[in-house]
Amino acid sequence: MAARVKGLGWATRPLLRVVQTWCLDGRRWVRALRRNPVRVVFPSGQVVERKPGPGKQPRRAAAEASPSEQRPKQPLRVSPSQTPCTWEESGLRYDKALPGDRRLSSVMTIVKSRPFREKQGKILLEGRRLIADALKAGAVPKVFFFSRLEYIKELPIDKLKGVSLIKVKFEDIKDWSDLVTPQGIMGIFAKPDHVKMTYPETQLRHLLPLLLICDNLRDPGNLGTILRSAAGAGCSKVLLTKGCVDAWEPKVLRAAMGAHFQVPIVNNLDWETLPNYLPTDTRVYVADNCGLYAQAQRSDKASDHGWVCERRLSKLHKYEEEDDDLEPGASRAWLPELEVQSYDLDWTEAPAAVVIGGETHGVSLESLQLAESTGGKRLLIPVVPGVDSLNSAMAASILLFEGKRQLRVRAEHSSRDRSYH
């Protein structure tokens, strides 16, 4: 039995060698087929020369060629004005936040507090569109937190140089986001200066000699809506007095829908310095909520036309309440005497500024004094008796677009007069 096994093993060895030989011969034939022969010798002794293809020459001939015939390879020339157009060419790098990284939480604590925001001079912008509008307007970014690299690649590369890019988990952004549906990117910017901003050309072409003054507005949603209406109407500037909510608060930014980068906004002004931001010959008009002072200027039939609000709405005017406490015959010279005018009558013959007061306290005494000194009036928006007064955002929108309508009608009349002459 052992002899049979030994014989069988001896018989199988040549087979293995034959297989290996066949594999080697096959490889040689494949290698030979890939070659490009220069000379073919037939069994009869005939020799046939093979000419190299166009643009090719034998290796030996190429080596023996003269230096003048050899053309050195020219390096690829790149125009000095060419700038990187892709993320890879720009050489930008980003950090990936590890578990326990507190950079996002520490920055959010600062930018979500108004005192820290004013002290550090930084604001928080969230959302791809708002960040893109800010970069286009010239806002300076400091840090970007993002959950997907694609969100950063959508931004202009030249605006990202020197900016800290930190990739974090989407759950971390969701924890700090003020949006119902977070978009996965948050940016920390230096607080914009309206003097250094670059506003859209279309917005600049449609600017009107119309300004808006916000007096003690404290509701973020109302202020954001007012800024959006001011940008839509073509307002040339928005001035915010001290006591107003911060224009760069996240809730105001969300309600304004990018209006911060379409109309100049001047924040935290004193009434003493506010006239310095008004153009020459500007008349200041005050939005009226049908207070007692306005009723006194109307006829007895005013209530039939819906001009008079209820007595309970007079609480919006502190100065009128104080006026009721005066003794008979006491002087009321401290209260500016402003003529009351319907909002739809012409009041845009000169550059105009409209004062909108907060819903809680209404317009301030300083605003009435400024209106009196500039020759302005109180603009009255009629409402049906028994209906509560309009909120600040609605009143501002009505007055701004009414001013825009009056300016358009005046421009059409002037152009028609010029064509006749």
Side-chain angles (χ1 to χ4, degrees), residues 77-94:
R77 296 182 179 180
V78 182
S79 174
S81 61
Q82 185 176 358
T83 57
C85 57
T86 63
W87 175 274
E88 290 76 12
E89 293 178 357
S90 63
L92 294 175
R93 297 291 184 269
Y94 65 90

Side-chain angles (χ1 to χ4, degrees), residues 308-310 312-313 383-390:
V308 181
C309 296
E310 293 185 1
R312 58 187 176 86
L313 295 181
V383 294
V384 175
V387 177
D388 202 348
S389 62
L390 302 176

